[in-house]
Amino acid sequence: MSPSFSKTKTNFIEWINCERSAFYSFNAYPGKDLPYPDKAQINQAYKVEEESTKLFPGIKKSHDFDFEINQSAPITVYQPRIKVGNLEARADIIKKDIDSRIHLFEVKSSTKPKKEYIPDIAFQVFLLKKNNINIETCNLILLNGEFVRKGNINPKKLFQILDVSDQVKDYLKEDLEINRYIKEIESKTILERNISSTKCKKCPYIVSCLAGISSQILSIPRGGKKIQKLVDRGINNLIDIPEDIKLTENQQKYADVQISNKYQINKSVIKEVLSSLEFPITFLDYETIYPAIPKYDGTYPYQQVPFQFSIHILKDDGNLIYDEYLHLEKSNPMPNLLKHLSTVVGYEGSVISWNDIFEKSINNTMSGMYPDYKILLDSINERMFDLSIIFKNDYLHPKFMGSYSLKNVMPVFYDKLQYSDLSISEGGTASYKWMDMIFGNLDIKENEKIKRDLLEYSKLDTEGMVEIYKSLINLVN
Protein backbone atom coordinates (compact mmCIF):
# COMPACT_ATOMS: atom_id res chain seq x y z
CA MET A 1 0.00 0.00 0.00
CA SER A 2 1.26 3.43 -0.91
CA PRO A 3 -0.22 6.56 0.65
CA SER A 4 -2.19 8.98 -1.49
CA PHE A 5 0.43 11.66 -0.54
CA SER A 6 -2.02 14.59 -0.61
CA LYS A 7 -3.95 15.47 2.52
CA THR A 8 -7.23 16.62 1.03
CA LYS A 9 -10.30 18.37 2.33
CA THR A 10 -12.30 15.24 1.58
CA ASN A 11 -9.93 13.11 3.65
CA PHE A 12 -10.05 15.64 6.50
CA ILE A 13 -13.86 15.46 6.61
CA GLU A 14 -13.61 11.65 6.59
CA TRP A 15 -11.19 11.93 9.52
CA ILE A 16 -13.64 14.04 11.52
CA ASN A 17 -16.36 11.43 11.05
CA CYS A 18 -14.10 8.43 11.60
CA GLU A 19 -10.33 8.62 11.97
CA ARG A 20 -9.81 5.00 10.96
CA SER A 21 -11.82 5.34 7.74
CA ALA A 22 -9.72 8.39 6.80
CA PHE A 23 -6.55 6.45 7.61
CA TYR A 24 -7.59 3.61 5.30
CA SER A 25 -8.46 6.08 2.55
CA PHE A 26 -5.20 8.05 2.89
CA ASN A 27 -3.15 4.86 2.79
CA ALA A 28 -5.05 3.49 -0.22
CA TYR A 29 -6.49 0.42 1.50
CA PRO A 30 -8.75 -1.62 -0.80
CA GLY A 31 -12.39 -0.81 -0.22
CA LYS A 32 -15.85 -1.53 -1.60
CA ASP A 33 -17.14 0.52 -4.49
CA LEU A 34 -19.84 3.00 -3.61
CA PRO A 35 -23.29 1.54 -4.26
CA TYR A 36 -25.20 2.96 -7.21
CA PRO A 37 -27.63 5.15 -5.15
CA ASP A 38 -24.70 6.84 -3.35
CA LYS A 39 -22.97 7.57 -6.66
CA ALA A 40 -26.21 8.97 -8.05
CA GLN A 41 -26.64 11.14 -4.96
CA ILE A 42 -23.13 12.55 -5.45
CA ASN A 43 -23.95 13.33 -9.08
CA GLN A 44 -27.08 15.12 -7.92
CA ALA A 45 -24.96 17.24 -5.57
CA TYR A 46 -22.71 18.17 -8.49
CA LYS A 47 -25.78 19.36 -10.41
CA VAL A 48 -26.74 21.56 -7.46
CA GLU A 49 -23.25 23.08 -7.48
CA GLU A 50 -23.49 23.78 -11.20
CA GLU A 51 -26.91 25.39 -10.77
CA SER A 52 -25.54 27.64 -8.01
CA THR A 53 -23.00 29.17 -10.40
CA LYS A 54 -25.92 31.00 -12.04
CA LEU A 55 -25.92 33.25 -8.96
CA PHE A 56 -22.61 34.70 -10.19
CA PRO A 57 -22.74 36.21 -13.70
CA GLY A 58 -19.38 35.94 -15.45
CA ILE A 59 -18.11 33.15 -13.18
CA LYS A 60 -15.28 31.16 -14.74
CA LYS A 61 -13.94 27.68 -14.17
CA SER A 62 -10.47 27.81 -12.68
CA HIS A 63 -7.59 25.37 -12.31
CA ASP A 64 -4.91 27.90 -11.40
CA PHE A 65 -6.19 29.65 -8.30
CA ASP A 66 -3.08 31.71 -7.57
CA PHE A 67 -2.98 33.19 -11.06
CA GLU A 68 -6.68 34.00 -11.17
CA ILE A 69 -7.08 35.52 -7.71
CA ASN A 70 -3.94 37.64 -7.91
CA GLN A 71 -5.29 39.62 -10.84
CA SER A 72 -6.27 43.15 -9.90
CA ALA A 73 -9.73 43.07 -11.48
CA PRO A 74 -12.78 41.62 -9.71
CA ILE A 75 -13.28 37.95 -10.54
CA THR A 76 -15.37 34.97 -9.46
CA VAL A 77 -13.91 31.50 -9.93
CA TYR A 78 -15.54 28.07 -9.75
CA GLN A 79 -13.79 25.05 -8.25
CA PRO A 80 -10.30 26.55 -7.90
CA ARG A 81 -7.66 24.25 -6.40
CA ILE A 82 -5.90 25.54 -3.28
CA LYS A 83 -2.61 23.82 -2.50
CA VAL A 84 0.06 24.15 0.20
CA GLY A 85 2.72 21.44 0.09
CA ASN A 86 0.83 18.15 0.23
CA LEU A 87 -2.31 19.82 1.58
CA GLU A 88 -4.99 20.62 -0.95
CA ALA A 89 -8.64 21.45 -1.36
CA ARG A 90 -10.93 22.40 -4.18
CA ALA A 91 -13.18 25.29 -3.22
CA ASP A 92 -16.64 25.63 -4.72
CA ILE A 93 -16.71 29.37 -5.42
CA ILE A 94 -14.32 32.21 -4.55
CA LYS A 95 -15.22 35.79 -5.36
CA LYS A 96 -12.93 38.79 -5.43
CA ASP A 97 -15.00 41.99 -5.29
CA ILE A 98 -14.30 45.46 -6.62
CA ASP A 99 -12.50 46.37 -3.37
CA SER A 100 -10.25 43.29 -3.67
CA ARG A 101 -11.95 41.58 -0.73
CA ILE A 102 -12.14 37.79 -0.98
CA HIS A 103 -15.37 35.89 -0.28
CA LEU A 104 -15.59 32.11 0.01
CA PHE A 105 -18.76 30.18 -0.88
CA GLU A 106 -19.35 26.52 -0.06
CA VAL A 107 -22.30 24.90 -1.87
CA LYS A 108 -24.27 22.14 -0.15
CA SER A 109 -27.25 20.32 -1.58
CA SER A 110 -29.22 20.43 1.67
CA THR A 111 -31.91 22.86 2.80
CA LYS A 112 -30.55 23.41 6.32
CA PRO A 113 -27.09 24.20 7.70
CA LYS A 114 -25.29 21.38 9.48
CA LYS A 115 -22.46 21.61 11.98
CA GLU A 116 -20.21 19.40 9.84
CA TYR A 117 -20.17 22.08 7.14
CA ILE A 118 -18.01 24.37 9.27
CA PRO A 119 -14.86 22.15 9.30
CA ASP A 120 -15.27 21.78 5.54
CA ILE A 121 -15.03 25.55 5.03
CA ALA A 122 -12.42 25.94 7.77
CA PHE A 123 -9.99 23.61 5.99
CA GLN A 124 -10.17 25.82 2.90
CA VAL A 125 -9.63 28.99 4.94
CA PHE A 126 -6.65 27.32 6.65
CA LEU A 127 -5.01 26.73 3.26
CA LEU A 128 -5.85 30.19 2.00
CA LYS A 129 -4.17 31.71 5.04
CA LYS A 130 -1.08 29.65 4.29
CA ASN A 131 -1.17 31.30 0.87
CA ASN A 132 -1.33 34.72 2.57
CA ILE A 133 -4.89 35.28 1.41
CA ASN A 134 -7.33 36.66 3.95
CA ILE A 135 -11.01 35.84 3.61
CA GLU A 136 -13.51 38.63 4.19
CA THR A 137 -16.57 36.36 4.52
CA CYS A 138 -17.30 32.64 4.58
CA ASN A 139 -20.69 31.65 3.18
CA LEU A 140 -22.88 28.61 2.77
CA ILE A 141 -25.06 28.32 -0.32
CA LEU A 142 -27.98 26.02 0.47
CA LEU A 143 -31.20 25.09 -1.27
CA ASN A 144 -34.20 27.10 -0.14
CA GLY A 145 -36.60 24.60 1.43
CA GLU A 146 -39.53 26.98 0.90
CA PHE A 147 -38.93 27.30 -2.84
CA VAL A 148 -41.78 26.01 -5.01
CA ARG A 149 -41.16 25.69 -8.70
CA LYS A 150 -43.30 27.69 -11.10
CA GLY A 151 -41.96 27.71 -14.64
CA ASN A 152 -38.26 28.35 -15.20
CA ILE A 153 -36.12 28.28 -12.07
CA ASN A 154 -34.83 31.57 -10.67
CA PRO A 155 -31.54 30.69 -8.90
CA LYS A 156 -31.95 33.63 -6.52
CA LYS A 157 -35.13 32.02 -5.23
CA LEU A 158 -33.89 28.43 -5.38
CA PHE A 159 -30.87 29.13 -3.16
CA GLN A 160 -30.22 30.82 0.17
CA ILE A 161 -26.87 32.24 1.24
CA LEU A 162 -25.82 32.16 4.90
CA ASP A 163 -22.83 34.01 6.35
CA VAL A 164 -20.98 31.56 8.64
CA SER A 165 -17.81 33.64 9.09
CA ASP A 166 -18.06 33.71 12.89
CA GLN A 167 -18.52 29.94 13.19
CA VAL A 168 -15.51 29.31 10.95
CA LYS A 169 -13.44 31.82 12.90
CA ASP A 170 -14.31 30.10 16.18
CA TYR A 171 -13.39 26.71 14.73
CA LEU A 172 -10.01 28.01 13.56
CA LYS A 173 -9.04 29.80 16.79
CA GLU A 174 -6.11 27.50 17.39
CA ASP A 175 -6.29 25.25 14.32
CA LEU A 176 -6.20 22.29 16.70
CA GLU A 177 -8.27 19.82 14.69
CA ILE A 178 -6.57 20.50 11.38
CA ASN A 179 -3.07 20.36 12.86
CA ARG A 180 -3.87 17.10 14.64
CA TYR A 181 -5.17 15.67 11.37
CA ILE A 182 -1.99 16.72 9.53
CA LYS A 183 0.15 15.05 12.16
CA GLU A 184 -1.82 11.86 12.79
CA ILE A 185 -3.01 10.87 9.33
CA GLU A 186 0.52 9.82 8.38
CA SER A 187 0.90 7.79 11.55
CA LYS A 188 1.79 4.14 11.05
CA THR A 189 -0.67 3.30 13.81
CA ILE A 190 -4.23 2.57 12.71
CA LEU A 191 -6.34 5.36 14.20
CA GLU A 192 -9.49 5.22 16.33
CA ARG A 193 -12.73 4.10 14.75
CA ASN A 194 -16.11 5.67 15.35
CA ILE A 195 -18.55 2.78 15.18
CA SER A 196 -22.04 3.61 14.04
CA SER A 197 -24.53 0.90 13.15
CA THR A 198 -25.80 3.01 10.25
CA LYS A 199 -22.69 4.75 8.93
CA CYS A 200 -20.47 1.68 9.18
CA LYS A 201 -22.75 -0.25 6.81
CA LYS A 202 -21.97 2.31 4.08
CA CYS A 203 -18.24 2.55 4.77
CA PRO A 204 -16.09 1.11 1.95
CA TYR A 205 -13.60 -0.19 4.53
CA ILE A 206 -16.07 -2.07 6.73
CA VAL A 207 -14.47 -5.45 5.95
CA SER A 208 -10.98 -4.27 6.99
CA CYS A 209 -12.19 -2.25 9.95
CA LEU A 210 -14.70 -4.59 11.56
CA ALA A 211 -13.15 -7.96 10.76
CA GLY A 212 -13.79 -10.42 13.58
CA ILE A 213 -16.65 -8.46 15.15
CA SER A 214 -19.88 -10.44 15.22
CA SER A 215 -22.86 -9.22 13.21
CA GLN A 216 -25.01 -9.78 16.31
CA ILE A 217 -23.09 -7.08 18.17
CA LEU A 218 -23.03 -4.70 15.20
CA SER A 219 -26.79 -5.16 14.66
CA ILE A 220 -27.91 -4.11 18.15
CA PRO A 221 -30.84 -1.76 17.35
CA ARG A 222 -29.83 1.87 17.85
CA GLY A 223 -26.67 0.55 19.45
CA GLY A 224 -24.46 3.59 18.83
CA LYS A 225 -22.08 4.17 21.72
CA LYS A 226 -23.00 0.85 23.33
CA ILE A 227 -21.64 -1.02 20.32
CA GLN A 228 -18.49 1.10 20.52
CA LYS A 229 -18.04 0.22 24.22
CA LEU A 230 -18.58 -3.48 23.61
CA VAL A 231 -16.09 -3.57 20.75
CA ASP A 232 -13.51 -1.55 22.69
CA ARG A 233 -13.79 -4.03 25.56
CA GLY A 234 -13.45 -7.04 23.27
CA ILE A 235 -17.00 -8.31 23.87
CA ASN A 236 -18.11 -10.21 20.80
CA ASN A 237 -21.13 -12.17 22.01
CA LEU A 238 -24.48 -10.87 23.21
CA ILE A 239 -24.50 -13.34 26.10
CA ASP A 240 -21.31 -11.72 27.46
CA ILE A 241 -22.71 -8.18 27.71
CA PRO A 242 -21.88 -7.00 31.28
CA GLU A 243 -24.44 -5.53 33.66
CA ASP A 244 -22.88 -2.05 33.56
CA ILE A 245 -23.87 -1.72 29.89
CA LYS A 246 -27.63 -1.31 30.14
CA LEU A 247 -29.71 -2.28 27.13
CA THR A 248 -33.03 -0.66 26.35
CA GLU A 249 -36.18 -2.79 26.37
CA ASN A 250 -36.09 -3.26 22.60
CA GLN A 251 -32.35 -4.00 22.63
CA GLN A 252 -32.87 -6.61 25.35
CA LYS A 253 -35.65 -8.26 23.32
CA TYR A 254 -33.30 -8.40 20.34
CA ALA A 255 -30.56 -9.94 22.50
CA ASP A 256 -32.92 -12.54 23.99
CA VAL A 257 -34.09 -13.67 20.56
CA GLN A 258 -30.57 -13.89 19.17
CA ILE A 259 -29.19 -15.76 22.19
CA SER A 260 -32.07 -18.28 22.25
CA ASN A 261 -32.17 -18.51 18.44
CA LYS A 262 -35.95 -18.78 18.73
CA TYR A 263 -38.64 -16.43 17.57
CA GLN A 264 -41.02 -14.70 19.98
CA ILE A 265 -44.63 -14.13 19.04
CA ASN A 266 -47.60 -12.55 20.78
CA LYS A 267 -50.38 -14.43 18.99
CA SER A 268 -53.30 -12.89 20.84
CA VAL A 269 -52.27 -9.33 19.99
CA ILE A 270 -51.55 -10.18 16.35
CA LYS A 271 -54.85 -12.05 16.02
CA GLU A 272 -56.78 -9.11 17.45
CA VAL A 273 -55.05 -6.64 15.13
CA LEU A 274 -55.53 -8.71 11.98
CA SER A 275 -59.17 -9.52 12.78
CA SER A 276 -59.93 -5.78 12.75
CA LEU A 277 -58.97 -5.53 9.06
CA GLU A 278 -61.81 -5.42 6.54
CA PHE A 279 -62.07 -6.93 3.06
CA PRO A 280 -61.25 -6.17 0.36
CA ILE A 281 -57.72 -5.66 1.69
CA THR A 282 -55.56 -3.46 -0.54
CA PHE A 283 -51.77 -3.79 -0.31
CA LEU A 284 -50.21 -0.53 -1.53
CA ASP A 285 -46.65 0.57 -2.26
CA TYR A 286 -45.34 3.76 -3.88
CA GLU A 287 -41.97 4.38 -5.51
CA THR A 288 -40.83 8.00 -5.56
CA ILE A 289 -38.16 10.36 -6.75
CA TYR A 290 -36.94 13.19 -4.53
CA PRO A 291 -34.86 15.52 -6.72
CA ALA A 292 -32.84 18.25 -5.03
CA ILE A 293 -33.77 20.66 -7.82
CA PRO A 294 -37.54 20.38 -8.38
CA LYS A 295 -38.45 19.04 -11.81
CA TYR A 296 -42.17 19.88 -11.84
CA ASP A 297 -44.27 22.96 -11.18
CA GLY A 298 -45.75 22.99 -7.68
CA THR A 299 -42.97 20.88 -6.16
CA TYR A 300 -40.15 21.85 -3.78
CA PRO A 301 -36.59 20.58 -3.14
CA TYR A 302 -36.54 16.91 -2.13
CA GLN A 303 -40.30 16.52 -2.34
CA GLN A 304 -41.22 12.85 -2.64
CA VAL A 305 -42.90 12.58 -6.05
CA PRO A 306 -44.49 9.17 -6.75
CA PHE A 307 -43.91 7.80 -10.24
CA GLN A 308 -45.06 4.22 -9.65
CA PHE A 309 -47.38 2.14 -7.53
CA SER A 310 -47.99 -1.55 -7.01
CA ILE A 311 -51.29 -2.86 -5.67
CA HIS A 312 -52.54 -6.30 -4.67
CA ILE A 313 -56.20 -6.56 -3.64
CA LEU A 314 -57.23 -9.58 -1.56
CA LYS A 315 -60.97 -10.41 -1.64
CA ASP A 316 -62.77 -12.21 1.16
CA ASP A 317 -63.10 -15.30 -1.06
CA GLY A 318 -59.30 -15.48 -1.37
CA ASN A 319 -59.18 -14.07 -4.89
CA LEU A 320 -56.12 -11.87 -5.45
CA ILE A 321 -56.07 -9.04 -8.01
CA TYR A 322 -52.92 -7.21 -9.11
CA ASP A 323 -52.59 -3.76 -10.64
CA GLU A 324 -49.72 -1.35 -11.22
CA TYR A 325 -48.77 1.99 -12.67
CA LEU A 326 -45.41 3.18 -13.98
CA HIS A 327 -45.04 6.65 -15.50
CA LEU A 328 -43.05 6.58 -18.73
CA GLU A 329 -42.99 10.24 -19.78
CA LYS A 330 -41.05 13.37 -18.75
CA SER A 331 -44.24 15.03 -17.57
CA ASN A 332 -45.27 15.27 -13.91
CA PRO A 333 -46.23 11.66 -13.01
CA MET A 334 -48.72 12.51 -10.25
CA PRO A 335 -51.84 13.45 -12.30
CA ASN A 336 -51.81 10.23 -14.35
CA LEU A 337 -50.82 8.14 -11.35
CA LEU A 338 -53.79 9.49 -9.40
CA LYS A 339 -56.12 8.98 -12.33
CA HIS A 340 -55.18 5.30 -12.51
CA LEU A 341 -55.18 4.87 -8.71
CA SER A 342 -58.77 6.14 -8.56
CA THR A 343 -59.88 3.36 -10.93
CA VAL A 344 -58.28 0.64 -8.79
CA VAL A 345 -58.79 1.61 -5.13
CA GLY A 346 -62.30 2.11 -3.83
CA TYR A 347 -63.67 3.49 -0.57
CA GLU A 348 -64.15 0.19 1.23
CA GLY A 349 -61.82 -2.22 2.96
CA SER A 350 -58.50 -1.85 4.73
CA VAL A 351 -55.32 -0.61 3.05
CA ILE A 352 -52.06 -2.23 4.11
CA SER A 353 -48.64 -0.62 3.70
CA TRP A 354 -45.20 -1.15 5.16
CA ASN A 355 -44.21 1.92 7.17
CA ASP A 356 -47.45 3.84 6.68
CA ILE A 357 -45.85 7.19 7.52
CA PHE A 358 -44.33 7.20 4.05
CA GLU A 359 -47.47 6.30 2.06
CA LYS A 360 -49.62 8.62 4.17
CA SER A 361 -47.27 11.55 3.65
CA ILE A 362 -47.33 10.96 -0.13
CA ASN A 363 -51.13 10.94 -0.08
CA ASN A 364 -51.31 14.06 2.08
CA THR A 365 -49.01 15.96 -0.28
CA MET A 366 -50.94 14.88 -3.36
CA SER A 367 -54.31 15.71 -1.80
CA GLY A 368 -53.08 19.26 -1.22
CA MET A 369 -51.85 19.58 -4.80
CA TYR A 370 -54.79 17.82 -6.47
CA PRO A 371 -58.00 18.56 -4.51
CA ASP A 372 -60.17 16.50 -6.90
CA TYR A 373 -58.58 13.40 -5.35
CA LYS A 374 -58.57 14.61 -1.75
CA ILE A 375 -61.61 12.59 -0.64
CA LEU A 376 -60.13 9.36 -2.05
CA LEU A 377 -56.64 9.98 -0.64
CA ASP A 378 -57.99 10.94 2.79
CA SER A 379 -60.12 7.79 2.77
CA ILE A 380 -57.10 5.63 1.92
CA ASN A 381 -55.14 7.17 4.80
CA GLU A 382 -58.00 6.68 7.27
CA ARG A 383 -58.19 2.98 6.36
CA MET A 384 -54.44 2.36 6.26
CA PHE A 385 -52.75 -0.21 8.50
CA ASP A 386 -48.98 -0.47 8.94
CA LEU A 387 -48.12 -4.17 8.75
CA SER A 388 -44.56 -3.51 9.97
CA ILE A 389 -45.73 -2.59 13.51
CA ILE A 390 -46.34 -6.28 14.22
CA PHE A 391 -42.61 -6.88 13.80
CA LYS A 392 -41.55 -4.09 16.13
CA ASN A 393 -42.79 -5.77 19.31
CA ASP A 394 -45.12 -8.73 18.73
CA TYR A 395 -43.15 -10.94 16.33
CA LEU A 396 -39.39 -11.10 16.73
CA HIS A 397 -37.21 -13.55 14.82
CA PRO A 398 -33.43 -14.12 14.95
CA LYS A 399 -33.24 -13.83 11.16
CA PHE A 400 -34.61 -10.28 11.34
CA MET A 401 -31.32 -9.22 13.00
CA GLY A 402 -33.11 -6.53 15.01
CA SER A 403 -34.67 -4.93 11.95
CA TYR A 404 -38.31 -4.85 10.87
CA SER A 405 -37.63 -3.70 7.31
CA LEU A 406 -39.55 -5.59 4.65
CA LYS A 407 -36.29 -6.88 3.18
CA ASN A 408 -35.37 -8.49 6.51
CA VAL A 409 -38.81 -9.82 7.39
CA MET A 410 -40.02 -11.18 4.06
CA PRO A 411 -37.46 -14.03 3.62
CA VAL A 412 -38.79 -15.69 6.78
CA PHE A 413 -42.25 -15.99 5.21
CA TYR A 414 -41.71 -15.96 1.45
CA ASP A 415 -38.85 -17.70 -0.32
CA LYS A 416 -40.25 -17.75 -3.87
CA LEU A 417 -38.38 -14.59 -4.84
CA GLN A 418 -36.01 -12.35 -2.88
CA TYR A 419 -34.77 -8.80 -3.37
CA SER A 420 -31.26 -10.14 -3.83
CA ASP A 421 -32.52 -11.87 -6.98
CA LEU A 422 -33.51 -8.55 -8.57
CA SER A 423 -31.48 -6.00 -10.54
CA ILE A 424 -33.24 -3.25 -8.57
CA SER A 425 -33.47 -4.25 -4.93
CA GLU A 426 -34.14 -1.06 -2.95
CA GLY A 427 -35.96 2.26 -3.23
CA GLY A 428 -32.94 4.51 -3.78
CA THR A 429 -31.86 2.54 -6.83
CA ALA A 430 -35.45 2.52 -8.14
CA SER A 431 -35.64 6.30 -7.83
CA TYR A 432 -32.41 7.09 -9.65
CA LYS A 433 -32.91 4.37 -12.27
CA TRP A 434 -36.30 5.85 -13.14
CA MET A 435 -34.68 9.27 -13.58
CA ASP A 436 -32.01 7.66 -15.77
CA MET A 437 -34.74 6.09 -17.89
CA ILE A 438 -36.79 9.28 -18.22
CA PHE A 439 -34.17 12.04 -18.30
CA GLY A 440 -31.02 10.20 -19.35
CA ASN A 441 -29.77 9.48 -22.84
CA LEU A 442 -30.08 5.71 -22.69
CA ASP A 443 -30.83 3.50 -25.65
CA ILE A 444 -34.13 1.68 -26.07
CA LYS A 445 -32.72 -1.62 -24.82
CA GLU A 446 -31.46 -0.07 -21.58
CA ASN A 447 -34.75 1.75 -20.99
CA GLU A 448 -36.74 -1.44 -21.52
CA LYS A 449 -34.58 -3.27 -18.99
CA ILE A 450 -35.05 -0.54 -16.38
CA LYS A 451 -38.81 -0.62 -17.01
CA ARG A 452 -38.94 -4.40 -16.45
CA ASP A 453 -36.75 -4.16 -13.36
CA LEU A 454 -38.89 -1.40 -11.82
CA LEU A 455 -42.12 -3.32 -12.37
CA GLU A 456 -40.60 -6.50 -10.93
CA TYR A 457 -39.23 -4.71 -7.86
CA SER A 458 -42.39 -2.82 -6.97
CA LYS A 459 -44.56 -5.90 -7.47
CA LEU A 460 -42.41 -7.86 -5.02
CA ASP A 461 -43.07 -5.26 -2.29
CA THR A 462 -46.83 -5.80 -2.26
CA GLU A 463 -46.60 -9.50 -3.14
CA GLY A 464 -44.35 -9.96 -0.12
CA MET A 465 -46.82 -8.15 2.14
CA VAL A 466 -49.62 -10.41 0.93
CA GLU A 467 -47.60 -13.53 1.76
CA ILE A 468 -46.62 -12.17 5.18
CA TYR A 469 -50.27 -11.37 5.93
CA LYS A 470 -51.42 -14.86 4.88
CA SER A 471 -48.68 -16.52 6.95
CA LEU A 472 -49.62 -14.51 10.02
CA ILE A 473 -53.29 -15.44 9.62
CA ASN A 474 -52.38 -19.14 9.44
CA LEU A 475 -50.01 -18.82 12.38
CA VAL A 476 -52.40 -17.15 14.81
CA ASN A 477 -55.37 -19.34 13.79
Side-chain angles (χ1 to χ4, degrees):
M1 293 176 296
S2 58
S4 58
F5 300 112
S6 291
K7 302 182 182 77
T8 64
K9 180 184 74 169
T10 300
N11 191 240
F12 173 60
I13 300 305
E14 286 178 332
W15 182 81
I16 289 174
N17 292 323
C18 179
E19 294 180 12
R20 184 174 293 197
S21 175
F23 175 88
Y24 286 142
S25 177
F26 180 78
N27 288 283
Y29 273 61
K32 299 186 301 181
D33 283 340
L34 278 177
Y36 168 80
D38 290 0
K39 291 178 180 178
Q41 191 173 16
I42 291 171
N43 288 333
Q44 179 171 245
Y46 288 152
K47 291 177 181 178
V48 172
E49 289 180 8
E50 291 173 6
E51 187 72 16
S52 74
T53 62
K54 296 177 182 178
L55 293 168
F56 304 90
I59 191 171
K60 61 182 296 185
K61 185 95 172 183
S62 173
H63 297 289
D64 190 343
F65 171 74
D66 290 337
F67 172 77
E68 301 283 6
I69 213 67
N70 285 324
Q71 295 184 80
S72 58
I75 189 171
T76 305
V77 291
Y78 176 52
Q79 292 189 336
R81 189 178 69 154
I82 314 163
K83 189 170 176 62
V84 179
N86 68 343
L87 295 171
E88 67 174 81
R90 190 171 291 281
D92 286 334
I93 298 169
I94 296 182
K95 178 180 179 179
K96 183 178 184 180
D97 65 22
I98 196 169
D99 297 318
S100 295
R101 294 175 299 189
I102 309 295
H103 306 273
L104 179 64
F105 297 87
E106 177 69 16
V107 184
K108 295 297 183 184
S109 57
S110 66
T111 58
K112 295 179 181 179
K114 301 177 183 178
K115 63 180 182 180
E116 57 260 36
Y117 296 161
I118 301 304
D120 190 324
I121 301 173
F123 190 85
Q124 300 169 57
V125 174
F126 179 85
L127 296 189
L128 289 165
K129 283 183 177 180
K130 296 289 185 182
N131 278 298
N132 297 315
I133 295 173
N134 293 317
I135 299 298
E136 183 73 17
T137 64
C138 298
N139 305 275
L140 272 174
I141 299 179
L142 306 174
L143 290 165
N144 175 11
E146 297 181 358
F147 172 80
V148 177
R149 180 164 185 166
K150 188 176 181 180
N152 293 331
I153 290 177
N154 181 345
K156 291 183 179 179
K157 293 182 178 180
L158 175 64
F159 292 100
Q160 54 179 320
I161 300 178
L162 305 179
D163 189 324
V164 292
S165 304
D166 290 341
Q167 294 97 306
V168 174
K169 185 178 179 180
D170 288 343
Y171 187 87
L172 286 171
K173 274 182 179 176
E174 297 179 11
D175 298 336
L176 293 178
E177 285 294 289
I178 296 176
N179 284 322
R180 190 164 73 86
Y181 160 75
I182 293 170
K183 179 182 178 182
E184 293 186 4
I185 198 63
E186 289 185 335
S187 166
K188 292 182 179 180
T189 303
I190 295 180
L191 303 178
E192 291 294 320
R193 58 188 164 196
N194 180 17
I195 294 179
S196 162
S197 56
T198 53
K199 290 183 179 179
C200 285
K201 290 177 182 178
K202 294 186 176 183
C203 178
Y205 308 107
I206 185 171
V207 175
S208 299
C209 182
L210 302 180
I213 301 174
S214 74
S215 59
Q216 286 189 346
I217 292 292
L218 293 173
S219 299
I220 294 174
R222 299 183 182 275
K225 294 180 180 178
K226 290 176 185 175
I227 297 176
Q228 182 79 55
K229 286 182 181 178
L230 293 169
V231 171
D232 289 345
R233 289 163 66 169
I235 297 168
N236 208 28
N237 293 300
L238 293 170
I239 200 169
D240 296 325
I241 294 178
E243 292 184 0
D244 62 302
I245 297 181
K246 302 294 183 182
L247 300 181
T248 66
E249 182 180 356
N250 284 339
Q251 290 169 348
Q252 189 60 58
K253 286 181 179 179
Y254 160 77
D256 292 342
V257 168
Q258 295 300 321
I259 292 169
S260 67
N261 198 32
K262 296 179 180 179
Y263 70 84
Q264 295 180 2
I265 183 170
N266 191 333
K267 287 188 177 182
S268 60
V269 171
I270 296 174
K271 186 174 184 177
E272 181 180 357
V273 168
L274 296 183
S275 64
S276 68
L277 300 179
E278 299 179 358
F279 289 96
I281 299 177
T282 300
F283 298 81
L284 170 65
D285 178 71
Y286 290 127
E287 300 302 331
T288 65
I289 58 169
Y290 35 93
I293 301 174
K295 289 189 173 294
Y296 310 110
D297 284 357
T299 63
Y300 51 83
Y302 294 110
Q303 177 175 326
Q304 299 274 2
V305 176
F307 62 85
Q308 180 180 13
F309 70 67
S310 171
I311 283 177
H312 279 84
I313 300 175
L314 182 63
K315 301 295 186 71
D316 55 2
D317 61 0
N319 189 30
L320 187 64
I321 300 169
Y322 178 68
D323 210 318
E324 63 192 5
Y325 178 81
L326 176 62
H327 197 69
L328 298 173
E329 302 172 355
K330 290 185 178 180
S331 59
N332 184 342
M334 289 184 282
N336 284 338
L337 180 144
L338 284 168
K339 184 178 180 180
H340 191 72
L341 183 72
S342 67
T343 67
V344 180
V345 181
Y347 292 84
E348 296 181 352
S350 299
V351 179
I352 288 183
S353 66
W354 199 276
N355 184 19
D356 66 347
I357 293 176
F358 178 74
E359 265 72 26
K360 283 182 176 179
S361 69
I362 301 300
N363 288 339
N364 286 335
T365 299
M366 290 195 295
S367 70
M369 296 180 69
Y370 305 98
D372 288 349
Y373 296 96
K374 178 175 172 56
I375 294 176
L376 173 63
L377 294 170
D378 287 350
S379 171
I380 291 173
N381 280 359
E382 289 170 3
R383 293 178 285 132
M384 192 173 292
F385 171 71
D386 183 356
L387 191 59
S388 74
I389 64 170
I390 289 174
F391 302 97
K392 293 180 183 179
N393 295 303
D394 298 311
Y395 192 117
L396 307 177
H397 196 288
K399 289 185 178 180
F400 297 165
M401 293 303 292
S403 168
Y404 54 87
S405 75
L406 185 56
K407 292 171 183 60
N408 281 50
V409 173
M410 192 174 72
V412 172
F413 299 93
Y414 187 55
D415 58 6
K416 180 180 177 182
L417 184 65
Q418 298 300 323
Y419 289 100
S420 57
D421 300 324
L422 306 181
S423 297
I424 294 176
S425 59
E426 51 81 41
T429 299
S431 173
Y432 289 115
K433 284 293 184 181
W434 183 82
M435 287 197 283
D436 286 346
M437 178 178 69
I438 299 300
F439 299 103
N441 296 312
L442 306 181
D443 60 34
I444 295 175
K445 187 176 181 180
E446 287 177 296
N447 279 344
E448 282 299 315
K449 184 180 185 311
I450 292 174
K451 177 184 174 181
R452 290 195 304 271
D453 292 342
L454 284 169
L455 291 172
E456 190 176 27
Y457 166 67
S458 189
K459 183 179 181 180
L460 182 58
D461 278 347
T462 51
E463 189 176 311
M465 284 191 277
V466 171
E467 294 302 321
I468 291 170
Y469 167 81
K470 288 181 177 180
S471 297
L472 289 174
I473 289 292
N474 291 332
L475 193 62
V476 298
N477 289 330

